[in-house]
Amino acid sequence: MIKNITRKSSPWQLTENQVTDETVYVNRRQALKKMGFVGATALLSTHTQADWFTKTATTPFARQALTASPTITTDEALTPEAKVISHNNFYEFGTAKNDPVENAQQFKVNPWQLSISGQVDNPITLDYEDLYKSFPLEERIYRLRCVEAWSMVIPWIGFPLADLIKKAQPNSKAKYVAFETLYDPKQMPGQSSRRIGGGIDYPYVEGLRLDEAMNPLTLLSVGLYGKTLPAQNGAPIRLVVPWKYGFKSIKSIVSIKLVERIPPTTWNILAPREYGFYANVNPQVDHPRWSQASERRITSGGLFARNRIETLPFNGYGEQVAHLYKNMDLRKHY
């Protein structure tokens, strides 16, 4: 059984450059600043994290057992929960790493509707409760590698995306899967201001090939660390694709659509030279403005922790996914 934990107040107060490599941190933010989109302050009143966990203490996880996935795990040290829930890229709530935790605490996730449509014979709509009870939930410990060259190890809770797609019964025209985040500028300040939201044309959209979506590693997450997802981590449901850079793992999903042609994706639209459709973790293909050969692993250390490790192809999941890209030029299809 999962026990809900009441946390001490304000465990998340870290600066962005404490856990992101300084050169990447400055480089990426300078590029956004040139477009006039960085520098927003918090707009919404905030609560302590203890307040937030108290309000979510009656989630389904308080009453539900999980299935562990011993074959889909890692023995690497977990990133502390306080850092997982405080260091986030979720531009709908602001571009600084601590903006989401500050600005998302009043985000309402119930009621919620997730639709599965498009080239399917059995369209599905899941409401908030359905997200937790429609499929058996598993805990999976995955590495998360950000394109900014930092990484975490996170215990996610969720179910395989393949289970949902199979239930929707894709037809022969389904070749790709398109995802869309909630569009609600009243709740998401980044959507109502190009300055706050990084210049993105919202809603945020992402996509996978159908075979990528059906891979057993691809997860729809509804929780982490034994609790429902915090708003800043993509509540109530998000994608987790551990062999791809983190921006592929779209948050707060309201639409999953099976389509015939390659779907548009947000970062590829914004900066196509820097962010490709596939976005597989690849230490041999650098970002135009920094190296991808290594990463800073976010652990329990603080500002001066030097947890630099080599980046592995496909984030270490090559055995499970490399066959998906056989005979593909991964420099061209980055």
Side-chain angles (χ1 to χ4, degrees):
M1 299 293 287
I2 295 181
K3 299 179 180 179
N4 287 276
I5 300 172
T6 301
R7 302 196 59 81
K8 297 179 181 179
S9 61
S10 302
W12 58 83
Q13 294 178 355
L14 306 170
T15 60
E16 185 173 5
N17 59 352
Q18 278 184 285
V19 282
T20 303
D21 185 79
E22 183 177 4
T23 57
V24 174
Y25 161 76
V26 172
N27 205 331
R28 199 175 195 212
R29 287 178 64 84
Q30 283 179 342
L32 289 173
K33 187 174 290 185
K34 287 179 181 178
M35 295 186 282
F37 302 130
V38 175
T41 56
L43 298 182
L44 303 179
S45 61
T46 59
H47 301 282
T48 65
Q49 197 70 7
D51 290 338
W52 192 85
F53 279 120
T54 298
K55 288 191 289 185
T56 59
T58 57
T59 63
F61 296 151
R63 305 182 300 275
Q64 185 171 351
L66 300 181
T67 301
S69 294
T71 61
I72 309 177
T73 187
T74 175
D75 58 2
E76 296 172 79
L78 298 180
T79 298
E81 183 184 2
K83 295 187 178 182
V84 172
I85 65 175
S86 65
H87 186 80
N88 306 109
N89 284 326
F90 199 176
Y91 283 16
E92 283 83 348
F93 296 102
T95 58
K97 292 295 184 289
N98 62 335
D99 280 347
V101 71
E102 295 291 343
N103 293 342
Q105 295 307 312
Q106 295 181 4
F107 184 57
K108 295 179 175 60
V109 297
N110 189 9
W112 194 268
Q113 282 198 331
L114 170 62
S115 67
I116 300 87
S117 62
Q119 300 294 344
V120 297
D121 295 331
N122 181 38
I124 300 169
T125 299
L126 302 178
D127 63 21
Y128 179 78
E129 291 294 331
D130 292 332
L131 301 178
Y132 306 100
K133 67 183 182 182
S134 296
F135 302 95
L137 298 180
E138 306 174 11
E139 182 175 70
R140 297 186 180 186
I141 301 174
Y142 281 163
R143 293 178 291 275
L144 171 71
R145 172 57 154 84
C146 181
V147 73
E148 298 170 337
W150 55 265
S151 63
M152 296 182 176
V153 179
I154 302 174
W156 301 101
I157 296 166
F159 56 90
L161 174 59
D163 290 356
L164 180 57
I165 292 176
K166 289 174 185 176
K167 188 173 182 178
Q169 300 173 22
N171 61 39
S172 61
K173 293 183 178 180
K175 306 298 182 185
Y176 295 88
V177 185
F179 304 86
E180 185 174 309
T181 291
L182 175 72
Y183 183 71
D184 188 348
K186 291 183 178 179
Q187 290 202 84
M188 295 172 154
Q191 293 180 341
S192 61
S193 167
R194 290 180 63 80
R195 180 178 63 87
I196 297 171
I200 289 173
D201 185 13
Y202 292 100
Y204 194 98
V205 291
E206 257 304 337
L208 297 172
R209 275 188 347 211
L210 182 58
D211 58 346
E212 294 176 317
M214 298 298 288
N215 185 275
L217 289 182
T218 306
L219 189 73
L220 284 175
S221 174
V222 295
L224 55 78
Y225 268 102
K227 295 181 273 288
T228 52
L229 281 175
Q232 64 270 20
N233 291 91
I237 187 165
R238 64 169 290 166
L239 184 66
V240 180
V241 192
W243 71 93
K244 294 180 179 287
Y245 292 118
F247 66 86
K248 296 292 290 185
S249 293
I250 185 172
K251 304 175 180 73
S252 301
I253 304 169
V254 294
S255 173
I256 298 174
K257 192 171 185 177
L258 279 80
V259 296
E260 195 170 357
R261 294 180 176 84
I262 188 168
T265 60
T266 289
W267 279 100
N268 182 249
I269 294 170
L270 187 66
R273 284 190 63 253
E274 300 186 6
Y275 307 102
F277 174 79
Y278 284 96
N280 293 319
V281 176
N282 189 344
Q284 302 302 317
V285 178
D286 288 338
H287 188 281
R289 290 181 282 119
W290 57 78
S291 170
Q292 296 289 19
S294 65
E295 64 205 63
R296 178 180 291 188
R297 173 63 52 80
I298 298 175
T299 59
S300 57
L303 177 61
F304 299 105
R306 304 186 65 85
N307 301 309
R308 202 82 194 172
I309 61 175
E310 291 186 1
T311 292
L312 300 175
F314 300 108
N315 203 23
Y317 298 100
E319 184 176 344
Q320 293 91 348
V321 302
H323 66 278
L324 298 173
Y325 311 101
K326 186 178 180 180
N327 299 323
M328 285 182 62
D329 182 348
L330 297 182
R331 290 186 176 273
K332 179 181 178 180
H333 300 285
Y334 58 91

